[in-house]
Amino acid sequence: MTDIMTVAEQYLLPAALWLIMFSMGVGLVPRDFARIVENSRAFLVGVGSMLLLVPLFGTALAVGFAPTPALMMGFILLATCPGGILSNLLTDLARGNVALSVSMSLFVSVVYIFTLPFITYFGLQFVFGAGQSITVPVGESISKILSITVIPVATGMLCRHFLPAFALRIEPSVKTLSTSVLVVVFGMIVAQQWETLKQSFGIVLAIVVAMNVCNLGIAFLACHLARIGRRERIAIAMEHIVRQEATAIFVAVTLLGRNDMSLPMIINTFIGMAVGIPFVTWLRTRAARRDEVGVTASPAPINRS
């Protein structure tokens, strides 16, 4: 079992994440980066909330309620995760501003890639103290994180540019394969850490749910105070509840060798979708009712014959 877990942690997880980032790159074109300057107020509100408020409240929950130092560190890593790729899809399904969603995902992900090694280093110092036995070389961490984030995204964009038909043809298969491998690896980690999870499942689940509820509340409060429009509110809310945990799991499992740290992020993978999908359904239902009311309220055409 140990040998299998070593293969999963050191090879399968990085490979699956590389393929996910590659498929993300295939779905991007240069004009997506230009969208960042559009909807500047909504963009600044969403990004500011993701980079400042969400980590602040998430870290407070972790420090206040996490049952072990390793799980506290896992929650800190979760609190700093950017919005996930699926947030763009759910924003589209909920009839939100997809361009804004993509812009926020791109910007926060880029910031996250370069700040994650420092978040990890200072988080470990805070949680375990100066004498902690877990070390994270910042330079080496940056290079490894770049190798499974920036490089595959750039490769995917280049593939889309020079071989567009081929890139678009393989993208669905690559996403399916990489997602399937991630699910298998997550299952293996949960099985290995079952005793730890069994002892702390209730409190871990409660903190994860609380983080999602807080994130959604932060998103709507920030949008309300800034008077952000409906479609932009949807995009910002989706970024707050559907997160990209895979890179942080890579740090916990592959770089730090602490599978127990990844448990909050693995659980959040499912809780985020459990919150996001009903939220999308509710928004689509409201939009459909609004459309029906609009059609009913519109005046009938005048017959001039």
Side-chain angles (χ1 to χ4, degrees), residues 12 22 40 56 90 98 131 146 170 195 200 256 264 274 279 304:
L12 292 182
F22 172 83
S40 57
L56 181 63
L90 293 181
V98 179
L146 290 177
I170 67 170
E195 288 303 318
S200 308
L256 301 180
F279 184 50
R304 299 184 182 277

Side-chain angles (χ1 to χ4, degrees), residues 27-205:
L28 293 173
V29 292
R31 67 174 175 269
D32 290 327
F33 294 91
R35 289 173 176 165
I36 290 177
V37 299
E38 300 174 4
N39 299 301
S40 57
R41 184 174 61 171
F43 173 79
L44 291 174
V45 168
V47 166
S49 176
M50 288 292 293
L51 293 177
L52 298 174
L53 298 179
V54 170
L56 181 63
F57 279 86
T59 300
L61 285 171
V63 172
F65 300 102
T68 68
L71 290 174
M72 184 191 300
M73 186 64 205
F75 279 115
I76 291 173
L77 289 173
L78 172 60
T80 56
C81 286
I85 300 170
L86 281 176
S87 65
N88 307 149
L89 172 62
L90 293 181
T91 296
D92 187 30
L93 292 174
R95 303 181 185 180
N97 189 323
V98 179
L100 175 61
S101 177
V102 172
S103 299
M104 288 190 296
S105 295
L106 276 174
F107 185 85
V108 177
S109 294
V110 170
V111 173
Y112 179 71
I113 288 167
F114 291 98
T115 56
L116 180 57
F118 301 97
I119 292 169
T120 305
Y121 177 80
F122 289 110
L124 289 171
Q125 293 287 321
F126 174 75
V127 172
F128 292 95
Q132 49 90 14
S133 59
I134 303 175
T135 58
V136 51
V138 175
E140 182 182 349
S141 299
I142 291 176
S143 64
K144 287 185 176 180
I145 291 170
L146 290 177
S147 71
I148 50 91
T149 52
V150 173
I151 291 175
V153 168
T155 304
M157 293 185 68
L158 290 172
C159 186
R160 168 76 177 268
H161 180 74
F162 292 105
L163 300 167
F166 171 75
L168 294 174
R169 187 169 67 250
I170 67 170
E171 182 187 11
S173 301
V174 170
K175 281 184 178 178
T176 301
L177 174 63
S178 55
T179 303
S180 301
V181 173
L182 271 186
V183 170
V184 171
V185 173
F186 289 176
M188 293 172 67
I189 293 172
V190 169
Q192 186 202 42
Q193 297 293 319
W194 182 248
E195 288 303 318
T196 301
L197 183 61
K198 191 164 59 174
Q199 294 172 6
S200 308
F201 181 74
I203 185 64
V204 171
L205 180 63

